[in-house]
């Protein structure tokens, strides 16, 4: 069976996600020959567009990638538009007839991939109509890709999952988390399992703490209405951060396969300690940005953003500490930090190794050494905007004595490599076409993530925070620094120090 022969139906085909991410990603697959002539795309939405209108939108979305306008037009000729009301059964009849026509026209062997790029409120309605109107009874495979958010808490996620699994089996459901498509997120496994220098020390005997940072320099922009109902905890921690944490903490799989990786990720998530509500304040910090200034740019506070309540209690920043209660990680804190309007945009992971038991260089046979402690060895994995990794070591400073000086062994992917690296959605769409669910989230992962986060959310919902509590352009509230300081640690990445030293941050 040729997986690349496929009819892709995009619910929400006129939306921002489709135009910014899906159409360019499909075009890249087309340029690389992953999609050839035997494919077709149906875009559906409420707008009363024609095929020509739709194709013009697709051509515009891929114009910067196309070698010629003719190439973009040839690609767009595979796209068809069907005005659609997801609640109207008759519209699914028209959609089915178009799908059957295209299946025959392009010889697609009944392979169908459905992409639900809409509000989760419609997921259950859509999949049940697909079943009742015979759109998933053809020969070939039938798969559905679902965008986050997958529920708003465990109960809503469980209800949503039950609706979808009424129609599609778990192996046919692809819950997308675009972070799992990023090159350096996938490189976590390579760094761990292909290098004994790290895997042999990837445990509580040698690692002091792990830090996961996802910082955004932008505010909520035009997403104020959505964000004010979600917040950083649900928007970032429940999905992206806990997925990254599971990759860092999982045991080596028996084999590097979808099943093997998934089993170990689920075990890691199930080992994360779920706090009692009265413990949340001790282990988690929330924040909301106030007005601030960076360089010559002034920023409004979160509560002044469009569609945000003037007294909003929604957090735009979360820092916290997770513990994993198993033999490998017992006692090692996993610190997480994410937020809007921080000093700079960047995603990076810091693995902080324990100090040597004794600093023998406190005294020297040549000259007294004033350095009483050594800097920790740190393995840093850079996810974005740059990609690569570095390892900090202690070396001797040039000159007399034995003062230590941190030295960084650093590798970054070149601009040429970055230019040719598949975009996350491109990689994930290809995985879905190939039936590879490795980089998608299984229901058991989603369920456990909600169980972990729901306790934190419930504790915050039953208390009032003093917001705002950090300036736009900083790295969050001071309590986030204190969270580590009370354990004897510090954030390895604190760019606001650099800005303050130069008088660029108020």
């Amino acid at each position: 069976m040729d997986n690349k022969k496929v009819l892709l139906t995009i619910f929400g085909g006129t939306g921002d996600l489709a135009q910014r991410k899906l159409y360019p990603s499909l075009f890249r697959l087309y340029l690389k020959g992953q999609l050839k002539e035997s494919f077709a795309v149906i875009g559906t939405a409420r707008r009363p567009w024609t095929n020509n209108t739709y194709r013009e939108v697709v051509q515009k979305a891929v114009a910067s990638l196309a070698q010629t306008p003719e190439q973009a037009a040839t690609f767009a000729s595979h796209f068809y538009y069907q005005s659609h009301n997801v609640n109207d059964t008759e519209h699914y009849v028209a959609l089915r007839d178009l799908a059957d026509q295209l299946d025959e026209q392009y010889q697609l062997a009944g392979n169908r991939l459905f992409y639900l790029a809409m509000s989760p409120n419609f997921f259950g309605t859509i999949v049940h109509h697909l079943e009742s109107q015979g759109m998933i009874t053809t020969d070939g495979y039938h798969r559905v890709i679902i965008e986050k958010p997958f529920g708003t808490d465990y109960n809503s996620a469980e209800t949503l999952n039950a609706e979808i699994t009424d129609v599609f089996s778990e192996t046919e459901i692809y819950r997308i988390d675009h972070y799992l498509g990023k090159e350096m997120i996938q490189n976590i496994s390579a760094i761990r399992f292909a290098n004994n220098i790290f895997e042999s020390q990837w445990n509580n005997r040698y690692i002091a703490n792990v830090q996961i940072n996802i910082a955004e320099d932008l505010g909520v922009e035009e997403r104020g209405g959505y964000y004010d109902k979600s917040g950083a905890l649900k928007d970032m921690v429940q999905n992206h951060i806990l997925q990254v944490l599971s990759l860092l903490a999982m045991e080596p799989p028996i084999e590097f396969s979808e099943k093997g990786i998934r089993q170990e990720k689920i075990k890691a998530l199930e080992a994360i300690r779920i706090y009692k509500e009265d413990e949340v304040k001790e282990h988690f910090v929330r924040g909301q940005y106030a007005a601030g200034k960076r360089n010559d740019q002034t920023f409004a506070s979160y509560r002044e953003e469009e569609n945000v309540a003037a007294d909003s209690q929604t957090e735009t920043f979360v820092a916290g500490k997770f513990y994993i209660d198993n033999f490998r990680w017992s006692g090692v804190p996993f610190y997480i930090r994410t937020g809007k309007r921080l000093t700079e945009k960047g995603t990076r992971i810091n693995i902080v190794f324990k100090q040597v038991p004794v600093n023998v260089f406190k005294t020297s046979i040549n000259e007294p050494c004033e350095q009483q402690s050594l800097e920790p060895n740190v393995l840093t994995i850079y996810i974005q905007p740059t990609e690569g990794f570095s390892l900090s070591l202690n070396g001797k400073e040039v000159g007399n004595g034995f003062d230590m000086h941190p030295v960084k062994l650093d590798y970054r992917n070149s601009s040429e490599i970055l230019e040719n690296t598949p975009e996350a959605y491109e990689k994930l769409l290809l995985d879905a076409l190939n039936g590879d669910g490795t980089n998608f989230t299984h229901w058991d992962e989603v369920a456990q993530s909600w169980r972990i986060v729901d306790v934190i959310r419930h504790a915050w919902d039953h208390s009032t925070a003093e917001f705002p509590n950090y300036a736009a352009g900083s790295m969050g509230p001071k309590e986030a620094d204190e969270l580590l300081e009370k354990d004897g640690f510090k954030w390895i990445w604190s760019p606001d120090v650099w800005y303050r030293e130069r008088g660029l941050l108020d």
Side-chain angles (χ1 to χ4, degrees):
M1 179 173 62
D2 188 348
N3 289 321
K4 309 306 175 4
K5 289 185 175 184
V6 65
L7 172 62
L8 172 60
T9 303
I10 302 175
F11 291 86
T14 63
D16 182 63
L17 173 68
Q19 295 182 48
R20 285 191 308 108
K21 296 294 184 181
L22 302 187
Y23 301 147
S25 295
L26 289 169
F27 187 64
R28 291 188 187 97
L29 293 177
Y30 177 74
L31 291 178
K32 294 174 182 177
Q34 301 287 354
L35 287 176
K36 298 182 181 178
E37 293 307 308
S38 293
F39 81 96
V41 179
I42 300 175
T44 76
R46 279 185 168 276
R47 296 181 185 181
W49 286 1
T50 63
N51 284 343
N52 287 337
T53 304
Y54 185 43
R55 289 168 183 171
E56 288 172 5
V57 169
V58 172
Q59 288 181 65
K60 183 178 179 181
V62 305
S64 63
L65 302 172
Q67 297 170 346
T68 64
E70 292 74 21
Q71 186 184 52
T74 301
F75 170 73
S77 70
H78 290 258
F79 285 68
Y80 298 80
Y81 187 77
Q82 179 73 56
S83 182
H84 186 76
N85 179 344
V86 296
N87 294 306
D88 190 336
T89 300
E90 290 302 313
H91 282 223
Y92 289 90
V93 174
L95 194 61
R96 180 195 64 205
D97 292 344
L98 177 58
D100 290 344
Q101 173 197 323
L102 295 176
D103 189 273
E104 183 176 349
Q105 178 180 337
Y106 288 93
Q107 297 296 298
L108 303 179
N111 294 334
R112 295 186 177 179
L113 180 61
F114 304 95
Y115 200 121
L116 309 190
M118 299 183 71
S119 166
N121 297 336
F122 299 114
F123 289 176
T125 299
I126 292 172
V127 298
H128 281 102
H129 274 96
L130 293 178
E131 180 184 45
S132 65
Q133 299 311 307
M135 290 194 67
I136 54 176
T137 58
T138 58
D139 295 333
Y141 65 74
H142 308 93
R143 299 167 187 154
V144 59
I145 300 177
I146 299 168
E147 276 284 341
K148 78 176 187 77
F150 196 85
T152 57
D153 56 16
Y154 174 79
N155 289 333
S156 62
E158 186 178 41
T159 299
L160 179 59
N161 190 64
E163 291 179 332
I164 297 170
T165 53
D166 273 348
V167 178
F168 291 92
S169 68
E170 180 62 37
T171 58
E172 295 172 325
I173 301 170
Y174 292 74
R175 300 174 191 83
I176 203 164
D177 184 333
H178 71 272
Y179 256 70
L180 297 182
K182 293 182 180 295
E183 185 66 32
M184 288 307 297
I185 293 294
Q186 297 186 351
N187 227 321
I188 290 172
S189 297
I191 292 169
R192 278 194 61 184
F193 303 131
N195 297 285
N196 193 46
I197 188 175
F198 295 129
E199 180 54 27
S200 61
Q201 299 190 24
W202 209 263
N203 55 60
N204 55 8
R205 288 185 61 194
Y206 300 103
I207 291 178
N209 68 84
V210 177
Q211 301 178 16
I212 302 171
N213 290 275
I214 302 180
E216 298 179 83
D217 56 354
L218 297 176
V220 293
E221 309 305 306
E222 73 282 352
R223 298 175 70 220
Y226 160 77
Y227 198 90
D228 207 39
K229 296 180 178 65
S230 174
L233 184 69
K234 293 182 180 181
D235 193 48
M236 298 298 292
V237 178
Q238 182 272 330
N239 40 74
H240 302 329
I241 286 179
L242 285 176
Q243 281 294 312
V244 172
L245 192 154
S246 69
L247 288 169
L248 292 166
M250 68 186 234
E251 294 295 318
I254 296 173
E255 60 177 358
F256 201 74
S257 64
E258 176 183 346
K259 180 180 178 182
I261 294 169
R262 179 162 289 163
Q263 286 177 338
E264 298 306 332
K265 285 176 65 183
I266 292 170
K267 288 179 186 176
L269 289 168
E270 289 177 343
I272 295 175
R273 186 183 304 173
I274 298 179
Y275 297 117
K276 297 183 177 69
E277 284 192 31
D278 58 3
E279 296 175 315
V280 169
K281 187 174 182 180
E282 178 185 352
H283 297 296
F284 280 85
V285 172
R286 53 177 164 163
Q288 186 188 95
Y289 62 83
K293 180 181 178 182
R294 185 172 63 242
N295 299 340
D296 295 325
Q297 195 170 4
T298 301
F299 303 106
S301 71
Y302 174 72
R303 291 178 176 180
E304 295 173 311
E305 301 279 17
E306 187 177 353
N307 297 321
V308 171
D311 58 350
S312 174
Q313 282 284 301
T314 300
E315 77 286 348
T316 62
F317 175 96
V318 176
K321 175 171 61 177
F322 288 112
Y323 283 110
I324 300 175
D325 293 326
N326 60 22
F327 280 99
R328 180 184 289 265
W329 294 113
S330 179
V332 177
F334 281 69
Y335 299 108
I336 61 102
R337 179 172 59 167
T338 185
K340 299 277 189 187
R341 278 281 182 247
L342 301 183
T343 308
E344 62 177 295
K345 176 182 176 65
T347 300
R348 66 181 66 170
I349 299 161
N350 291 308
I351 313 297
V352 184
F353 291 89
K354 290 183 176 180
Q355 299 278 15
V356 292
V358 178
N359 177 13
V360 300
F361 302 106
K362 285 193 295 185
T363 58
S364 169
I365 58 175
N366 296 319
E367 285 189 6
C369 179
E370 298 179 358
Q371 190 172 12
Q372 297 298 307
S373 63
L374 301 170
E375 290 296 317
N377 300 136
V378 180
L379 170 66
T380 301
I381 304 171
Y382 300 94
I383 310 299
Q384 64 176 14
T386 183
E387 293 179 354
F389 42 85
S390 68
L391 179 64
S392 67
L393 306 173
N394 288 306
K396 177 185 172 299
E397 283 191 349
V398 176
N400 296 326
F402 262 84
D403 283 330
M404 293 294 108
H405 175 67
V407 177
K408 183 177 286 188
L409 308 180
D410 196 40
Y411 170 80
R412 305 296 173 96
N413 285 338
S414 67
S415 57
E416 182 180 357
I417 290 175
L418 289 174
E419 187 176 332
N420 293 313
T421 297
E423 205 270 349
Y425 274 92
E426 175 192 343
K427 188 174 295 185
L428 294 173
L429 280 168
L430 182 59
D431 284 349
L433 290 170
N434 287 328
D436 182 358
T438 304
N439 297 310
F440 295 83
T441 54
H442 188 276
W443 163 244
D444 289 343
E445 298 172 60
V446 174
Q448 188 61 17
S449 296
W450 276 121
R451 291 187 189 102
I452 293 165
V453 163
D454 276 356
V455 176
I456 304 166
R457 181 74 269 161
H458 194 265
W460 286 351
D461 286 344
H462 289 80
S463 63
T464 301
E466 294 185 12
F467 285 159
N469 61 354
Y470 71 96
S474 71
M475 278 304 283
K478 60 179 175 40
E479 289 83 0
D481 296 324
E482 294 168 355
L483 183 71
L484 274 69
E485 288 169 1
K486 66 185 180 183
D487 294 336
F489 302 124
K490 63 180 180 180
W491 293 108
I492 299 300
W493 179 30
S494 294
D496 50 341
V497 173
W498 187 91
Y499 281 86
R500 285 199 180 96
E501 287 174 348
R502 291 157 179 78
L504 300 176
L505 182 68
D506 290 345

